[in-house]
Structures are given as structure tokens and as C-alpha cells.
Amino acid sequence: MSDQPLDGAVALVTGASSGIGAATARRLAREGAAVALVARRRDRLREVASGIAAAGGHAVAVEADITEPDRAEGAVQETLDRLGRLDILVNNAGIRLLSSALHTAVEEWDRMVALNVAALLHITHAAVPHLIYAASTSPRQTADVVNVGSAAARAARPSSSVYSLTKSGLSAFSESLRRELLGERVRVSVVEPGAVDTELVDHLNGTTRDAARRQLAGMEALRPEDVADAIGYIVTRERRVAVSQMLVRAGDQTW
């Protein structure tokens, strides 16, 4: 018998081409799960999958733009076709574009809503029936949805109004879904990272990017692996334990 708690389980991780998503995929693979890596950058997905394979794990690259409902459903179906089942969904894909309401372009708001909210809804809707089935047939007797939120859901700051809106909405959606799926033995959790050193900062415009980098320079930010550890902890609990929400801040973080 394997001593890996996720042996035989299948996880789907969105935004898995870099940062928190890639680190989470590697963590779940070490715990024994086969992992479907979902993102738009196929070359980066293949790099992550190759790294997991070199470490003795199993991962497949699933290229998809999950802001499109059909592509999100297709990503779930491809996971089932290639890996046979779905036990864990990690909704990590997201974007953080910071700017004031006066100076931002509405297209930036639309991009955040499309990826941070709509894409999460698309993939979750497609995955839930299969997670319910997995919970009823798995030796673990449970399945998991983990939504990666943000400390910005608790402390909205200037220039982050719509980003905070998307992450606050994620938390509310997660709590409602948690209650809906209680009887199905599908756990729903939210991990809210604080300041993390990822390439999300590179998506900001010049002035805001420089300000964000100065802010990070004044502290030791979280690493993607720190957030992956939190996710790994949540999904490896025994069925009787549900970690519904976890806030993970950098030790020096004041907000």
C-alpha cells in the first residue's frame, strides 16, 4: 500500500504554467496525485509536466483558455479522457491588474472578471458532477475544490477595487458552494495568499508595477511553494476534516 495520501487521485490545476499553479501541481504530484495542468501556454505546461515526470510523478498538459465555457468544459473532459477521473480541482488561474478607476481602461477590468470569476465558474460547473462521483467511489471518500483567493478580499486598497471585487466574490461563491456540496462529501476551501513573489507583478503597468516591486522589496514575500503547501495540507486531510478557509500572509506583511 502506498504511503502517499493522494495515491490514485487525479487533480486538475488551472493557471498551472507558472507560479502558485505550477508549485501546487508539483506538490500534489509528490503526494501521489496524477495532475492535469491547465493553462494557455503549452510550452510552459510541458516544462512543468516534464519536471514532475523527472521527479517520479505523472502530469499531462491541457492547453485551454478557460474564459471560454466550451474550452473549460473541454479541459475537464480531456482530464477525464487522459487520467480517468477527477478528485481535486484547484482554481488558481487569475490576473491582478492594479490601477485607479480614473486612470484604468475598462478592458482591464473585463480581463480580471473574465479570468478571476467567469473562468472559475466555467471550470467548476463542468467539474462538480465528476467530483461528486469521485467522492462516492474513492478510498478517500471525499473530493476537493480549492479556490485560490487573496488577502485583498479582506483588505481592499487603492487601485485594487476590481481585483478585490473578484476575490471577495470568489469567497462568497465558495462558501455557498461549500454548503451545497456538504451532503455529497465534496469539500470546498479558499486559500487567501498575501504578498507572493510571482510574475503577476509583471502584468501591471509601469508606474503601478514599480510601486508593487518597491512594496515587495521591503519584505520577504511568500514563495509560490508556501501557498502550494497550504493547498497540499487542505486536500490531504482525512474526510472528517474540512479546512474551509486559510489566510496565508508573509511574515512581514502589515495589511
Side-chain angles (χ1 to χ4, degrees):
M1 179 178 296
S2 172
D3 58 359
Q4 295 175 299
L6 299 182
D7 184 46
V10 171
L12 186 161
V13 180
T14 69
S17 59
S18 63
I20 293 170
T24 297
R26 289 190 288 265
R27 171 60 189 265
L28 299 184
R30 288 199 303 271
E31 300 288 358
V35 186
L37 311 169
V38 177
R40 291 178 294 183
R41 298 179 290 182
R42 177 173 288 276
D43 56 337
R44 296 287 293 272
L45 291 176
R46 286 175 172 168
E47 288 180 17
V48 177
S50 295
I52 289 172
H58 182 43
V60 298
V62 179
E63 180 185 4
D65 178 358
I66 60 173
T67 62
E68 300 178 19
D70 291 347
R71 299 291 299 280
E73 185 175 353
V76 171
Q77 188 58 54
E78 184 172 346
T79 300
L80 295 167
D81 291 344
R82 298 176 69 179
L83 299 178
R85 57 185 296 116
L86 180 59
D87 301 84
I88 299 165
L89 170 64
V90 179
N91 282 312
N92 164 73
I95 192 169
R96 176 172 171 255
L97 303 173
L98 305 182
S99 187
S100 70
L102 177 63
H103 297 104
T104 196
V106 72
E107 289 80 10
E108 291 190 355
W109 287 356
D110 289 342
R111 285 180 64 194
M112 283 190 283
V113 171
L115 188 55
N116 299 3
V117 178
L120 177 145
L121 299 180
H122 299 158
I123 203 90
T124 302
H125 186 269
V128 161
H130 306 290
L131 294 167
I132 291 172
Y133 176 77
S136 68
T137 59
S138 166
R140 298 170 64 234
Q141 297 186 317
T142 190
D144 288 279
V145 177
V146 181
N147 295 327
V148 179
S150 171
R154 299 176 181 238
R157 310 178 74 208
S159 299
S160 68
S161 56
V162 174
Y163 179 71
S164 294
L165 167 72
T166 65
K167 295 304 184 178
S168 297
L170 177 151
S171 295
F173 170 74
S174 300
E175 174 59 15
S176 180
L177 187 66
R178 182 188 72 82
R179 297 187 183 197
E180 291 178 16
L181 296 179
L182 273 174
E184 306 290 353
R185 295 184 175 178
V186 177
R187 302 179 296 200
V188 180
S189 308
V190 178
V191 174
E192 296 177 320
V196 185
D197 186 8
T198 73
E199 61 184 39
L200 278 181
V201 173
D202 298 332
H203 296 153
L204 304 176
N205 64 40
T207 302
T208 307
R209 181 176 62 247
D210 293 343
R213 284 176 174 165
R214 286 194 299 272
Q215 189 178 66
L216 288 175
M219 72 172 74
E220 185 178 3
L222 295 169
R223 299 171 184 173
E225 290 77 15
D226 297 324
V227 184
D229 285 345
I231 295 169
Y233 177 85
I234 287 170
V235 301
T236 55
R237 297 309 90 196
E238 298 286 345
R239 188 186 69 80
R240 68 182 182 278
V241 180
V243 182
S244 301
Q245 195 169 44
M246 188 181 293
L247 174 63
V248 185
R249 285 190 175 106
D252 298 326
Q253 189 169 342
T254 59
W255 67 91

